[in-house]
Amino acid sequence: MPRGERPLDDGDGPLLRFAADLRRLRELAGSPVYRELSRRAHYSTAVLSEAAGGRKLPSLAVTLAYVTACDGDAGLWERRWREVAAELTPVEPLRPTRSPYLGAAAFDVGDAERFFGRDALVDELVAVVGEHRLVLVHGASGTGKSSLLRAGLAARDRRRAVVFTPGPHPIEECAVRLAVVAGWSAPRLRDELVTDPVNLHLRIRQAAADEELLLVVDQFEEVFTTCVDEAERAAFITALAHAAGAETSRCRIVLGVRADFLDRCGASLPDARSFPVRPMTTDELREAATRPALAAGLTLETALVARVIADASSGCGVLPLVSQALRETWCRRQGMTLTLAAYDEAGGIRHAIARTAESVFLAFAPPERDLARQLFLRLTAFGDGAEDTKRRVGRCELDDTPQTAAVLAELVRSRLVVVGRHDLELTHEALLVTWPRLREWLSEDRDGLRTHRQLTEAAAAWLALDRDPDSLYRGLRLLIAEDWVNRAKPVLSVRERMFFTSSLYSEHNRQRLDRQRTRRLRQLVALLVVLLMVTVIVGVQAFLTSRQQFQEQAVQNAVGQLSTVARTNPYLAGQVALAAHNLAPDSPRAAGRLLQFATERYGLPNSTRAVAVDANVDLIAAGATDGDIELTDLKHHGAVSLPGAGVAVDSLAISADSRLVAASYVDGTLQVWDVSDPFHAVNTWSSRGNRVLVSFSRTGRTLAAGGHPDDGDRRLAPDASDTTLLDATNPKDPRPVGTLRQTLGPVQFSADGRTLAAVSSRDDVHQPQVWRQAGGHWAPLPAAAPGQDGDYVAESVSADGSLVAAVTSDLSKPRATLWAVRADKLTMAGPVSTTPLPIPIAFDPSTGRAAVVNADGTVVVWKLGPSGGVSELLELDATAQQHLRSVSFASDGRLVVAADDSVTVWTTDTDRAAQAVCQMPRTGLITQNQWDSYFTGMDVPMPCDN
């Protein structure tokens, strides 16, 4: 039975963990015995057992053989071995003080004996310099430009050489180096060059005498990167151009510049001869790797040479890394031989670049680390199902900012990034595998990295297409990019940010336009629906209107025949009127014709000249031409005649309480009668003066003796031109309480007696005269906008004093208008009739109605709106009465129309009128044909048929 494996020592160091993991790998492989492992790995059992013993780190070759024998992942364990090796302090053998390899540093003039592999290129450059006085040597970073200029050209050229780098102050650096060669004063030379750059040519002639001077300016790009003084930069370039181009020039000037600055240098020095530094061939690379060791008496394994050439060929700008790896291999040499095992133990080019990347990254500040991370990710091409590779990136993909330029310069200086004329790339793809931090970045958010790369490429395409809107992101791609940006908060370049923002703006605009189109489509559909509905409604309305017009026309035809029918068959006329009203209940004319069948008419004496009716329609006073006044008591159905003054009565008025009757006569006599008992009336007061028109206030306390209009009869008493207001509280002794100058009667009062309307006797007054009592005095109200309707002959005021009605005396253009009283000013509200008689308009004190007597004998009742608007309610036919004198509303809402021959009391209740019609006695037979003749084409039943 085989002996068990020795337990590991106590502890938790990297070496013990590595050994424990090797043993665990062996257990996962089925715990094969070391003899079996030796057969598989081709290493002795002792070597393999020691590898997992935890005493020392096995070599990389032994480790990989052990892992392969246990079916492990060789690539994973190689990275693991190198991480452990980096943690352990390497034990280096004793070494000489001078290595044949310089490492990452560039060759200088003194290192010419160790500079190999560039003999052909140096010869070409020497020849070109011999033919041209100004040469521009250019190439990518890491191609060996500095070594070529210093250890190659400057060391081998026969001319005296001055080599320097410009730094932040190229004039000063040039002055110092020339002063050392020629033994001059550096400050004085610097001042001369600053004063006039041409002085460089003169000083070189002075120093060179009969020979030529070779002036080598290495890393000439520093003139553009580190020199911030544009004047000094321009002076230095001018000095070099003049020194090389002057006819008496005694110098050859060679400038070494990185490829990405070639265009700027070419623009500044158009006469310079361009000399590109080509990459090393395989033979040149072999010579550069082997000749320094052979010169030092060392030998290299053939396998090592092959590996070095293979590693160097897989990258660009890796010459410093090759030298670095070989220096580390030299430190681990076996005797005088540089072996492949030592090369692998040192990590070769791959791990040399990884260690450099880590140290450079850790030296950055946090903001610079973010920029470096983004830069490394941009320089990686993501493999789908394959290994990641390096990616060449155009300079335009990076932001042109000082921070980005500083980070890129450090990466170029550390040989991690190679910069070409228009692009840049990683020095070696090994960095993608051997640098753990970069591997971690590449595995953190793979989908996000792909999204970023797609965004980068889309932004480049957008700019290449001159920012074509159709190449912007939209839809799902934009949603993915927006989600990634909001989630990962990446560092985007300026053009990526511009592309992404433009895509968002374009998408928002597109969505807004889509919403507008949708809204417009909906509006169009709604409009079509509305138009359809309107068409239907208009059609229905047209049908209804046509039907209504036909019906109205039939009603008007039926109503027009009522006067004739009523004389021969009142019952038929009543039925037709009621049926017409039922067909058109809103028709004022049909309603008015129905109401005439419920009127009450009271006859008057033939000689009646003036008529008055009390508010309750209980008492009628009629004044005759002989001066007698006939009182008709409708309540007690009796009449009595009061003796007059022997002359015709001019006007009559009854107080609101029906207790007093005032009469004026054509001879100027004014009488007041107490008719509390009409059959025992008493003449309480009489006076003689000018002719007046009398009226009582609604309170009954004030008697107005209004001025009388001129009727042209000079035989009578003079006409009064003023209105006298009398306090009739004591009818036996009425006392004057006010005078309204130049006003005519009859005066109309408001309900509270504080506002009245009176016609002006002046010819220059063209608006109603409204007076208001304030502080015991009466004052007229002004008009806000005076009317132009001519002289007014009849005026009245509403019960609340808010409206005034006025009728003009212009026979060619009669007009009745309403005026609103607002803020003690009159404002015209609108007309109510264009054919009125000169009779005061009546206001209903309780229901907001007004009645106007028209010249055709009709009385129109209007509904008054809150702002002075009117709508017609009734049209009453009063043509049966002769010489209409007045119209008024009774306290119960009935309408009283007074004429010379009669007083007619109209009810305004159509239901009451309909009831009266149906209660009329039948007179004769009404046939169906006779009935249908009044409503042709309509099926109208007789309303009172049961």
Side-chain angles (χ1 to χ4, degrees):
M1 182 175 180
R3 185 177 57 183
E5 199 166 20
R6 182 182 60 81
L8 294 173
D9 296 337
D10 295 334
D12 190 32
L15 189 57
L16 291 176
R17 289 196 301 271
F18 185 78
D21 291 343
L22 283 177
R23 293 187 178 191
R24 194 173 296 111
L25 178 65
R26 176 170 168 250
E27 292 175 0
L28 294 175
S31 300
V33 297
Y34 276 102
R35 185 175 301 168
E36 175 63 19
L37 289 181
S38 176
R39 186 184 65 80
R40 299 178 186 177
H42 305 290
Y43 277 93
S44 66
T45 57
V47 171
L48 295 177
S49 176
E50 185 180 9
R55 298 293 181 86
K56 69 176 183 179
L57 183 66
S59 67
L60 177 61
V62 172
T63 300
L64 295 180
Y66 189 105
V67 169
T68 302
C70 294
D71 296 327
D73 187 345
L76 176 64
W77 277 93
E78 180 181 357
R79 291 193 294 270
R80 177 72 186 280
W81 182 88
R82 296 192 184 282
E83 292 172 358
V84 174
E87 293 186 54
L88 299 175
T89 303
V91 180
E92 299 182 359
L94 296 175
R95 64 191 69 180
T97 57
R98 180 182 173 92
S99 168
Y101 300 101
L102 289 181
F107 289 87
D108 209 339
V109 177
D111 300 314
E113 73 278 3
R114 292 186 288 178
F115 181 64
F116 297 100
R118 286 296 198 183
D119 292 342
L121 190 63
V122 171
D123 293 342
E124 293 176 13
L125 179 58
V126 170
V128 170
V129 172
E131 297 175 0
H132 303 275
R133 293 191 175 276
L134 183 59
V135 179
L136 199 61
V137 179
H138 60 87
S141 56
T143 55
K145 297 184 301 299
S146 296
S147 300
L148 176 67
L149 294 177
R150 294 173 182 269
L153 176 65
R156 299 185 187 183
D157 194 86
R158 56 181 177 76
R159 304 174 185 84
R160 188 165 39 159
V162 177
V163 183
F164 67 94
T165 56
H169 301 288
I171 291 289
E172 179 179 324
E173 191 67 25
C174 180
V176 170
R177 295 309 176 106
L178 285 177
V180 172
V181 173
W184 299 326
S185 169
R188 181 177 178 182
L189 179 58
R190 179 198 61 194
D191 294 341
E192 290 178 359
L193 296 180
V194 170
T195 303
D196 188 358
V198 176
N199 290 329
L200 177 62
H201 163 62
L202 300 178
R203 281 295 191 176
I204 290 177
R205 286 192 62 190
Q206 179 183 355
D210 296 334
E211 58 181 358
E212 285 189 337
L213 185 68
L214 177 63
L215 188 62
V216 178
V217 184
D218 190 15
Q219 300 181 28
F220 187 72
E221 65 270 10
E222 290 184 357
V223 172
F224 303 98
T225 57
T226 61
C227 179
V228 297
D229 188 346
E230 294 186 3
E232 184 175 1
R233 179 191 307 153
F236 181 64
I237 294 175
T238 301
L240 295 179
H242 182 74
E247 293 183 1
T248 57
S249 174
R250 302 299 297 168
C251 70
R252 306 279 172 167
I253 299 177
V254 181
L255 308 178
V257 64
R258 212 166 64 196
D260 53 325
F261 285 89
L262 179 61
D263 293 338
R264 297 184 66 177
C265 293
S268 302
L269 299 167
D271 298 331
R273 170 68 160 79
S274 176
F275 183 85
V277 178
R278 55 175 173 76
M280 277 187 170
T281 64
T282 301
D283 292 339
E284 290 175 337
L285 188 58
R286 180 182 292 107
E287 183 179 351
T290 59
R291 289 284 298 279
L294 295 177
L298 303 173
T299 60
L300 288 83
E301 289 184 350
T302 304
L304 172 61
V305 176
R307 173 71 68 80
V308 169
I309 293 175
D311 288 349
S313 301
S314 61
C316 53
V318 296
L319 292 180
L321 298 177
V322 171
S323 181
Q324 172 94 8
L326 290 175
R327 181 184 177 88
E328 295 295 326
T329 303
W330 174 81
C331 292
R332 292 169 174 78
R333 68 190 181 279
Q334 294 181 359
M336 300 299 289
T337 303
L338 276 64
T339 65
L340 177 61
Y343 180 80
D344 289 336
E345 184 178 352
I349 293 177
R350 294 171 175 266
H351 289 275
I353 192 173
R355 287 193 296 269
T356 302
E358 183 68 14
S359 62
V360 170
F361 180 80
L362 293 178
F364 283 140
E368 296 172 333
R369 291 183 183 181
D370 291 337
L371 290 174
R373 179 179 184 273
Q374 290 298 323
L375 185 57
F376 279 118
L377 292 176
R378 289 181 186 278
L379 294 172
T380 303
F382 310 120
D384 294 328
E387 293 292 332
D388 295 336
T389 58
K390 63 180 181 177
R391 171 176 175 259
R392 184 169 296 176
V393 174
R395 288 299 301 268
C396 59
E397 187 174 318
L398 305 181
D399 288 342
D400 188 14
T401 62
Q403 295 81 4
T404 303
V407 171
L408 180 60
E410 181 60 24
L411 297 180
V412 171
R413 187 194 65 78
S414 302
R415 313 301 183 188
L416 297 175
V417 175
V418 179
V419 177
R421 184 172 183 179
H422 300 294
D423 49 32
L424 62 152
E425 61 180 328
L426 292 176
T427 301
H428 203 287
E429 286 186 354
L431 192 64
L432 303 175
V433 179
T434 59
W435 189 19
R437 188 182 298 275
L438 181 55
R439 293 201 313 273
E440 181 180 354
W441 290 341
L442 292 173
S443 61
E444 278 180 354
D445 184 9
R446 198 72 173 181
D447 292 337
L449 295 177
R450 289 191 180 94
T451 301
H452 191 182
R453 182 57 44 76
Q454 293 168 0
L455 180 66
T456 302
E457 294 170 354
W462 177 60
L463 292 175
L465 295 174
D466 197 17
R467 305 189 181 189
D468 182 9
D470 291 336
S471 62
L472 292 171
Y473 269 0
R474 64 183 59 183
L476 182 60
R477 290 197 302 173
L478 180 59
L479 288 176
I480 294 175
E482 186 177 10
D483 176 71
W484 171 71
V485 169
N486 294 333
R487 172 174 50 83
K489 302 293 188 295
V491 179
L492 300 178
S493 66
V494 171
R495 68 177 190 171
E496 290 169 353
R497 193 161 49 249
M498 187 187 312
F499 171 79
F500 179 68
T501 303
S502 299
S503 296
L504 286 178
Y505 180 76
S506 176
E507 180 67 12
H508 292 164
N509 278 344
R510 187 186 64 80
Q511 293 177 357
R512 179 177 57 82
L513 293 176
D514 288 344
R515 288 194 298 269
Q516 289 180 352
R517 283 193 292 267
T518 303
R519 184 167 59 251
R520 289 172 182 169
L521 181 59
R522 290 176 179 172
Q523 291 173 347
L524 179 60
V525 172
L527 179 60
L528 293 176
V529 172
V530 170
L531 289 177
L532 179 60
M533 294 177 63
V534 168
T535 303
V536 172
I537 293 174
V538 169
V540 173
Q541 187 68 32
F543 171 75
L544 295 177
T545 300
S546 175
R547 181 178 178 182
Q548 183 179 3
Q549 289 175 348
F550 176 78
Q551 184 172 298
E552 289 178 354
Q553 185 61 40
V555 169
Q556 296 302 324
N557 292 336
V559 169
Q561 302 178 58
L562 286 179
S563 299
T564 303
V565 177
R567 288 194 293 266
T568 59
N569 193 341
Y571 178 77
L572 176 59
Q575 294 293 314
V576 173
L578 180 55
H581 174 68
N582 292 338
L583 287 174
D586 296 329
S587 171
R589 188 180 181 195
R593 296 305 181 268
L594 174 61
L595 292 176
Q596 73 182 10
F597 292 95
T599 59
E600 301 173 20
R601 185 172 182 179
Y602 304 98
L604 298 178
N606 293 333
S607 60
T608 299
R609 179 182 173 91
V611 183
V613 183
D614 72 338
N616 297 322
V617 196
D618 290 336
L619 184 64
I620 299 176
T625 55
D626 60 1
D628 291 340
I629 301 173
E630 182 176 305
L631 297 179
T632 302
D633 187 348
L634 302 179
K635 188 175 182 181
H636 298 94
H637 306 287
V640 65
S641 180
L642 304 181
V647 293
V649 178
D650 230 352
S651 65
L652 290 172
I654 302 177
S655 63
D657 56 3
S658 304
R659 189 172 62 89
L660 301 177
V661 173
S664 66
Y665 299 86
V666 296
D667 63 351
T669 300
L670 175 60
Q671 293 181 344
V672 177
W673 296 80
D674 184 349
V675 293
S676 301
D677 181 359
F679 301 103
H680 299 88
V682 179
N683 185 350
T684 61
W685 182 75
S686 179
S687 70
R688 183 76 176 270
N690 295 334
R691 295 177 63 185
V692 296
L693 298 177
V694 295
S695 60
F696 277 102
S697 67
R698 296 176 189 260
T699 62
R701 291 191 298 269
T702 303
L703 172 63
H708 196 289
D710 185 7
D711 57 7
D713 192 347
R714 303 303 179 187
R715 297 172 299 172
L716 306 177
D719 299 326
S721 59
D722 299 330
T723 296
T724 301
L725 301 180
L726 302 171
D727 182 359
T729 305
N730 182 4
K732 295 180 180 180
D733 185 20
R735 293 181 300 101
V737 294
T739 301
L740 309 180
R741 299 296 181 185
Q742 297 179 318
T743 58
L744 305 178
V747 175
Q748 301 289 328
F749 289 87
S750 63
D752 59 3
R754 300 176 60 85
T755 303
L756 61 82
V759 176
S760 175
S761 62
R762 295 171 51 186
D763 295 334
D764 59 346
V765 176
H766 300 289
Q767 63 271 347
Q769 291 294 289
V770 180
W771 297 70
R772 180 159 290 175
Q773 187 181 33
H777 300 283
W778 289 89
L781 299 183
Q788 301 298 325
D789 295 327
D791 296 331
Y792 291 96
V793 295
E795 296 181 10
S796 56
V797 63
S798 63
D800 60 359
S802 63
L803 289 175
V804 174
V807 180
T808 63
S809 62
D810 188 353
L811 298 179
S812 63
K813 189 181 178 183
R815 191 178 187 189
T817 55
L818 288 179
W819 295 69
V821 180
R822 298 188 182 95
D824 291 337
K825 287 186 178 181
L826 287 175
T827 304
M828 181 179 288
V832 291
S833 177
T834 57
T835 59
L837 287 177
I839 297 174
I841 295 174
F843 285 99
D844 185 351
S846 58
T847 59
R849 297 178 297 175
V852 182
V853 181
N854 288 328
D856 59 357
T858 59
V859 179
V860 179
V861 179
W862 299 87
K863 177 67 176 178
L864 302 180
S867 59
V870 295
S871 58
E872 188 175 354
L873 290 177
L874 301 171
E875 181 183 307
L876 308 179
D877 184 1
T879 56
Q881 294 178 270
Q882 297 180 3
H883 193 249
L884 300 177
R885 288 191 172 273
S886 66
V887 61
S888 62
F889 281 96
S891 58
D892 59 2
R894 291 180 295 169
L895 189 66
V896 180
V897 179
D900 285 349
D901 62 339
S902 62
V903 173
T904 303
V905 181
W906 295 74
T907 180
T908 57
D909 186 354
T910 55
D911 292 338
R912 181 179 175 183
Q915 185 178 5
V917 167
C918 291
Q919 292 176 353
M920 293 175 63
R922 282 180 177 268
T923 55
L925 179 65
I926 304 176
T927 65
Q928 188 64 42
N929 291 335
Q930 183 182 10
W931 175 258
D932 291 341
S933 65
Y934 295 101
F935 301 98
T936 304
M938 301 178 66
D939 185 13
V940 180
M942 285 189 289
C944 294
D945 274 354
N946 295 326

